[in-house]
Amino acid sequence: MELRQLRYFVAVGEEQHYGRAAQRLRVAQPALSRQIQNLEEEIGFKLFERLPRGVKINAAGKLFLDDARRILQDLNDAAASAKRIGSGLAGTLRIGFVQSLSWRGIVPESFRHFRERRPDAELQLKPLSSAEQISAVQSGSLDGGYIFTMAETDSELNQLRVGFVNVMLAAPMGHALTKRRKLRLRDLIDAPFILFPRRVSTVFFDRLMAECARGGLKTPRVVQETADEAIILSLVACGIGVGFVSSASQWRCPPNVALVSVTDLNLRLPFALIWRKDNNSPLLANFTADARSLVEGGGQKDEVLG
């Protein structure tokens, strides 16, 4: 059975006239009649009663007509869905992100653009550390991710540089350190620190410690470790200590926490959008193109968060 035969049958069944059905389909009437006969021979029963003028669909034909319409509609729907997925208008896109990058700027803007331009697509967002995102993108469980890029990324990954954040000191509001005109690293020797463990980001941790040592803070006095920047801010708000955080934290900083620049701490955290070079998802291609447009908008090469 051919799909063409089903289309021809539906047209004749709805028109109940070979001539009108042939005009509707823009085919010759003898060819249409022959295809209906072939269909009836294949299924083994008649679909129409032949009349002097036109045809009349019989009981079996009416039942078959309902099923034929449904089959053709399902086929059209499937083709339309496939076309939308193939053109990057539908489907599922899985994007990871570091939470501190999601409060303001290009990262949340790229999510908003995606939702506005592709309302039929599903966007799955997963807050993860940079290391977790790299593994997930490599394995294919994520299509892309916004990560900090202190270290070289895998050669199998594409990378779109988005911007950078500065490293600042978070301290309780009114703390003596917040009242200094110029805060230097050596001023932090006696301060109790809430710090992230080295295993979270070896490259960043080592560079941060090297910067601290260069400025006279050879060994920060760590009283608590946590990998989550939000928890660092919370513990600082409780007065447990001070901590190094990204300048993007200003967009979610508790009201009783001050962010202070350390004048001799020259360390920037670049961040980028990464994805596998062999990921051919049309949705991903559209998402990365949108992100690139946002990065290049207004002549910006780097977005500074904070």
Side-chain angles (χ1 to χ4, degrees):
M1 186 182 303
E2 300 177 9
L3 288 173
R4 176 180 57 175
Q5 291 174 328
L6 287 181
R7 292 191 182 98
Y8 285 6
F9 163 67
V10 168
V12 176
E14 291 177 347
E15 299 291 343
Q16 301 215 39
H17 193 281
Y18 276 107
R20 289 194 298 269
Q23 285 183 331
R24 170 174 153 181
L25 295 168
R26 297 182 180 180
V27 297
Q29 184 172 330
L32 173 62
S33 179
R34 187 166 54 251
Q35 288 298 327
I36 297 298
Q37 289 175 0
N38 291 341
L39 176 61
E40 289 177 326
E41 290 174 3
E42 184 172 346
I43 61 179
F45 57 86
K46 294 293 183 181
L47 298 167
F48 300 99
E49 296 176 16
R50 272 63 179 179
L51 304 175
R53 290 187 178 184
V55 292
K56 180 180 179 181
I57 192 166
N58 60 28
K62 288 179 180 178
L63 184 62
F64 192 59
L65 179 61
D66 290 339
D67 289 337
R69 284 172 172 153
R70 177 181 51 77
I71 290 169
L72 292 175
Q73 185 60 52
D74 288 347
L75 178 64
N76 289 336
D77 291 346
S81 295
K83 183 177 180 180
R84 292 182 69 78
I85 291 173
S87 60
L89 295 174
T92 300
L93 184 68
R94 304 155 301 169
I95 300 293
F97 62 97
V98 176
Q99 286 195 52
S100 61
L101 300 176
S102 66
W103 290 85
R104 186 181 177 90
I106 288 173
V107 175
E109 275 295 295
S110 68
F111 300 153
R112 183 179 66 82
H113 275 227
F114 183 90
R115 295 298 331 129
E116 287 180 349
R117 299 180 182 184
R118 294 161 191 90
D120 294 335
E122 180 185 6
L123 178 61
Q124 295 182 357
L125 300 175
K126 297 186 179 181
L128 297 168
S129 70
S130 295
E132 289 170 329
Q133 287 185 67
I134 291 172
S135 296
V137 171
Q138 288 172 331
S139 69
S141 59
L142 279 182
D143 294 302
Y146 286 104
I147 68 167
F148 288 116
T149 54
M150 294 292 289
E152 291 295 322
T153 54
D154 193 306
S155 60
E156 295 180 349
L157 301 180
N158 274 324
Q159 181 180 133
L160 172 65
R161 174 73 173 269
V162 176
F164 62 87
V165 296
N166 296 304
V167 178
M168 303 184 75
L169 184 77
M173 194 72 73
H175 192 286
L177 293 174
T178 66
K179 298 176 182 179
R180 290 180 176 266
R181 262 179 134 183
K182 287 187 177 180
L183 182 64
R184 299 180 180 276
L185 286 164
R186 64 172 179 262
D187 299 327
L188 307 176
I189 292 175
D190 296 324
F193 265 91
I194 304 156
L195 197 63
F196 64 92
R198 183 175 183 270
R199 66 178 181 277
V200 172
S201 179
T202 304
V203 174
F204 175 46
F205 184 92
D206 290 346
R207 291 191 186 180
L208 177 59
M209 291 301 102
E211 278 290 306
C212 287
R214 183 189 55 76
L217 180 61
K218 293 183 179 180
T219 308
R221 184 164 67 89
V222 179
V223 296
Q224 181 67 52
E225 283 191 338
T226 177
D228 192 317
E229 189 175 77
I231 296 177
I232 292 177
L233 291 168
S234 177
L235 294 177
V236 170
C238 292
I240 291 176
V242 300
F244 289 121
V245 296
S246 73
S247 54
S249 294
Q250 67 175 292
W251 308 114
R252 60 168 179 177
C253 196
N256 56 339
V257 172
L259 298 185
V260 186
S261 295
V262 182
T263 56
D264 56 347
L265 178 57
N266 301 313
L267 187 59
R268 285 180 165 182
L269 288 174
F271 62 96
L273 174 63
I274 61 166
W275 66 96
R276 282 184 65 97
K277 292 178 179 178
D278 60 358
N279 188 331
N280 297 317
S281 162
L283 272 181
L284 176 63
N286 286 338
F287 183 84
T288 57
D290 285 349
R292 192 179 302 278
S293 295
L294 287 170
V295 171
E296 295 173 353
Q300 281 185 228
K301 292 184 178 178
D302 279 315
E303 179 182 42
V304 184
L305 286 183

